[in-house]
Amino acid sequence: MTTHAVELPELWMPHPLRVNPHLPGLRAESESWAREMGMVNGDEERPSGQAIWTRRQFQAMTVDQLTAWTLPDASAADLRLNHRFNIWALAWDDYFASAFKRTGDLRGALEFTARLHAFLHPEGGAPLPEPVNAVERGIADLQQQLFPPRLAHWRHEFNRAVARYIDAGVEELANSRSGRVPHLIDYAPFRRESFAAHTAPYSVELSTGARIPERIRGGRAMRGLLAAFMDVMGLANDIASYEREVNEERDVNNLVVVIATSLGISLREAVPAAVHLVNTRMRDFEQLRRDETRLSDRRSRLRPGERAELEAWIEGACSFLSGLYAWYTGAPRYVSADTRPEQGHGGGTDTFSPVPPAAVGLGADAQP
């Protein structure tokens, strides 16, 4: 598949970036954990043994900033815990792409995924297999940490979301091997799974300490809000990672490719269409946040404590989206050398400021 390079399009983000005060020092701690799991080795040109990244590659991803930008209100302990999950999710993604997507090894991917399922037990205290690689060691370790008593209710839903995440990787591989491009109608729900977006409400709850009240969680307004929240995350990621996925990995599981194929237009024409779709979902989120959840609140007659929790959770979701936006538009994982901002130093951690939208955008649909 041949494409012409495109600049990172401009996405609309109405919420300001906030940074967790515990960011300094997070990278060193998380790098120690990644080394302990076998994900990172030294500064060699290529990772040795079973390692997924060199130290230089690991630091360039600035996952510490991703976590501190998306969870500005988390305690130091909760920030560290979510950071380790972010590292694991990226480790799975990069390992899966290298070992299976680039080689087309569907059988190996199925075997690898089946083993990972054995680590995702919805009941606490269940015995786990002996890990044999860095990805398995990471998820085995996280299973002992992710569900403290105040988040025990998340064990089943979180592990189910992770299972859907790794299963979606196999489906993506099968699509790429056969050249089957997902249809636009089916793609958004699938992208929520392949982005692990169903774990994001857990991260917001971890950061804010607030839960969505159970009596409105399954209602139309909240279901719509959660769907828009997850769509903005995953579909915006497709735009940010378009160059790498389409040009380098020859991946067909990308919103730009999906729109081009479904609508019969060129890839270049599909880029602003993809931006428009993501910005529309951001507007949907805003409308539901401002209007529909308030109506749901009145209909359900939430108690003051429940209303405060709902407002705190939604505020955390807004921060989560703005943090992702900043990472997509500023992290070396997504930004080309031509548009990458200058690297700075602060608190012992290299930092990247988000690229201003005007500096990187196509100017398409920048306003609501």
Side-chain angles (χ1 to χ4, degrees):
M1 182 184 299
T2 301
T3 63
H4 298 288
V6 297
E7 295 177 343
L8 183 66
E10 186 173 325
L11 298 169
W12 178 57
M13 178 47 60
H15 302 287
L17 175 68
R18 296 191 298 128
V19 182
N20 192 292
H22 300 294
L23 171 59
L26 184 61
R27 174 181 291 182
E29 188 279 334
S30 60
E31 185 176 327
S32 297
W33 180 79
R35 283 182 177 275
E36 183 183 345
M37 296 301 106
M39 299 171 182
V40 179
N41 62 3
D43 284 323
E44 296 86 353
E45 288 298 316
R46 294 180 181 275
S48 61
Q50 292 187 344
I52 298 168
W53 305 298
T54 66
R55 185 168 185 261
R56 185 180 296 110
Q57 289 170 333
F58 177 79
Q59 291 189 343
M61 291 191 298
T62 62
V63 193
D64 53 334
Q65 289 187 314
L66 165 66
T67 310
W69 289 349
T70 53
L71 305 180
D73 301 310
S75 68
D78 290 340
L79 189 74
R80 184 165 55 248
L81 176 58
N82 204 91
H83 189 43
R84 290 180 177 183
F85 175 72
N86 286 342
I87 293 169
W88 178 84
L90 288 169
W92 173 88
D93 188 40
D94 285 356
Y95 179 83
F96 193 89
S98 176
F100 308 116
K101 281 188 174 180
R102 291 194 178 108
T103 62
D105 183 7
L106 184 57
R107 175 177 292 183
L110 287 167
E111 293 173 355
F112 173 71
T113 301
R115 276 192 56 86
L116 278 183
H117 271 279
F119 291 88
L120 302 174
H121 288 290
E123 61 279 351
L128 301 179
E130 185 66 27
V132 299
N133 56 53
V135 176
E136 291 183 359
R137 278 191 292 274
I139 196 62
D141 187 72
L142 285 170
Q143 286 293 303
Q144 313 305 318
Q145 305 177 48
L146 284 168
F147 313 110
R150 67 185 175 90
L151 292 168
H153 58 284
W154 263 100
R155 179 177 290 275
H156 182 271
E157 190 172 346
F158 189 92
N159 278 329
R160 183 166 176 259
V162 174
R164 293 155 85 180
Y165 174 54
I166 61 178
D167 285 345
V170 176
E171 187 172 344
E172 286 186 336
L173 173 56
N175 287 342
S176 293
R177 271 175 49 112
S178 66
R180 177 192 175 273
V181 179
H183 193 279
L184 182 58
I185 298 298
D186 305 319
Y187 187 66
F190 175 68
R191 191 67 181 109
R192 295 169 204 160
E193 297 182 353
S194 66
F195 189 69
H198 290 277
T199 66
Y202 160 92
S203 299
V204 174
E205 186 173 329
L206 180 74
S207 175
T208 62
R211 296 176 63 175
I212 300 171
E214 287 299 324
R215 53 174 145 167
I216 68 168
R217 185 182 180 92
R220 182 185 63 82
M222 189 52 60
R223 284 189 287 109
L225 182 90
L226 286 169
F229 173 59
M230 291 187 284
D231 286 348
V232 171
M233 288 189 289
L235 299 179
N237 178 270
D238 277 5
I239 296 171
S241 57
Y242 164 81
E243 290 286 352
R244 176 169 57 88
E245 290 183 352
V246 176
N247 287 331
E248 297 177 20
E249 299 177 4
R250 299 296 189 265
D251 197 344
V252 300
N253 304 279
N254 184 283
L255 179 63
V256 176
V257 179
V258 168
I259 287 177
T261 304
S262 295
L263 301 184
I265 59 179
S266 70
L267 286 170
R268 179 166 287 277
E269 290 173 312
V271 172
V275 175
H276 177 74
L277 179 58
V278 174
N279 287 344
T280 297
R281 292 303 278 151
M282 188 70 231
R283 288 193 289 271
D284 291 341
F285 175 84
E286 287 296 286
Q287 189 271 327
L288 288 161
R289 177 181 69 86
R290 288 192 308 260
D291 303 327
E292 293 298 319
T293 55
R294 292 177 183 172
L295 287 173
S296 181
D297 173 357
R298 289 199 292 269
R299 292 179 187 131
S300 301
R301 297 180 181 178
L302 295 181
R303 294 185 291 271
E306 292 175 315
R307 186 175 301 112
E309 284 212 66
L310 176 62
E311 291 175 356
W313 189 93
I314 291 176
E315 181 63 30
C318 294
S319 294
F320 196 95
L321 292 178
S322 67
L324 272 178
Y325 170 85
W327 195 59
Y328 291 159
T329 56
R333 187 176 179 90
Y334 299 108
V335 179
S336 69
D338 294 334
T339 58
R340 191 176 302 163
E342 290 293 325
Q343 190 167 343
H345 301 277
T349 302
D350 295 339
T351 58
F352 289 86
S353 300
V355 181
V360 297
L362 295 175
D365 198 25
Q367 298 298 321

